[in-house]
Amino acid sequence: MSNPPEGFEGRWRQRFETWGQSQGSDAAIAGWSESGLAARLANFERLWSPGAPPGRWLDAGCGAGTYVRLLAARGAAVVGADYSLPSLHKAAERLGELAVLAASDVRALPFASASFDGALCFGVMQALTDARPALRELCRVARPGGEVWIDALNRYSAPHCVAGAWRRVRGKPAHMRYDDPWRLARWLREAGAEQVELHWLPLVPGRWRLAGEIAHSGFVRGLLHRVPPLAALASHAVVLRGRLPPAA
């Protein structure tokens, strides 16, 4: 792997390594709340339908192995990759022989082109100054007809707009990157995906259990799908699924 970067990305790498060393739960190692990780995991599990068998999958930015376990439980052969060695050590302890693990940066994956039936990269984009190199690598390692999944923080969510404005008033720099979901979808198409879907993810603090159940209900999901401007205001995060074109 290359030398750790400085500045914004360097601070994020240090955070991931510190969390990998000091934290015990999957959520804390990834920097999420327990309820936030649970909502993300349930959302992906609901959306993911790879068929049978699912084949060989890559989890780039695997952390302690949360999604690796889900993919493996569905019958996939999984490779987990992460640039945080402490996180990989935690993953190795928890996964055993469930997956192959590799120390690597998502922007320079050590795998042959078209070597996976699908690739996912969750909890990573907010730590990169530019998502495009990562998207190109994910599409490169996915086979023709395969899938690429990513998530990102949504720059148009109302709570972020308020919090971001308050940080600017106080003269504080951005501590994580929020994306324009539609621009991210365009970049994913430019990287090689033929079809790109947006799936909105409103996140509610765990202590507001009833509000969380409503936010993740089928009715609200359908409403957000039909009214994108409302979805952009209400959703803290977004999940994108890109399908690569089939072989000629």
Side-chain angles (χ1 to χ4, degrees):
M1 295 190 299
S2 59
N3 293 328
E6 298 179 351
F8 174 81
E9 290 190 4
R11 291 191 295 272
W12 263 105
R13 180 171 291 197
Q14 183 59 52
R15 289 186 191 112
F16 283 131
E17 292 182 351
T18 299
W19 294 334
Q21 291 171 342
S22 63
Q23 300 298 324
S25 71
D26 284 11
I29 290 169
W32 301 125
S33 66
E34 294 292 340
S35 60
L37 179 59
R40 286 173 164 87
L41 190 63
N43 185 62
F44 175 68
E45 190 168 16
R46 177 180 58 81
L47 293 171
W48 190 52
S49 54
R56 188 170 185 248
W57 279 70
L58 170 68
D59 181 1
C62 66
T66 305
Y67 290 92
V68 171
R69 287 191 293 275
L70 189 156
L71 294 168
R74 295 281 194 91
V78 191
V79 175
D82 204 293
Y83 67 17
S84 168
L85 292 178
S87 297
L88 281 178
H89 290 155
K90 291 282 176 66
E93 293 172 357
R94 297 172 187 194
L95 298 173
E97 297 181 357
L98 199 60
V100 175
L101 299 176
S104 65
D105 191 305
V106 67
R107 295 162 295 187
L109 294 169
F111 309 115
S113 297
S115 55
F116 293 96
D117 294 283
L120 60 89
C121 185
F122 290 157
V124 173
M125 297 301 152
Q126 74 269 12
L128 303 177
T129 55
D130 186 349
R132 286 170 288 187
L135 300 181
R136 288 193 291 267
E137 274 293 271
L138 292 166
C139 288
R140 179 186 67 81
V141 300
R143 66 164 176 79
E147 295 184 350
V148 170
W149 290 75
I150 63 170
D151 72 350
L153 301 177
N154 168 33
R155 69 178 300 178
Y156 299 117
S157 71
H160 162 65
C161 291
V162 173
W166 182 234
R167 289 185 71 87
R168 289 190 293 273
V169 167
R170 292 184 293 166
K172 291 190 174 183
H175 64 300
M176 60 180 68
R177 192 168 65 83
Y178 283 72
D179 277 291
D180 178 327
W182 292 280
R183 182 176 65 178
L184 202 57
R186 186 180 76 246
W187 286 349
L188 188 52
R189 286 191 292 268
E190 291 172 354
E194 186 176 53
Q195 305 172 36
V196 177
E197 303 169 0
L198 287 178
H199 299 279
W200 301 97
L201 183 56
L203 294 173
V204 177
R207 62 185 179 275
W208 299 348
R209 183 173 179 180
L210 179 59
E213 292 176 357
I214 294 171
H216 301 138
S217 66
F219 172 77
V220 171
R221 289 198 305 268
L223 179 63
L224 298 182
H225 177 72
R226 291 191 296 272
V227 189
L230 175 62
L233 286 173
S235 301
H236 179 71
V238 63
V239 173
L240 289 82
R241 171 167 56 185
R243 299 179 186 273
L244 274 65

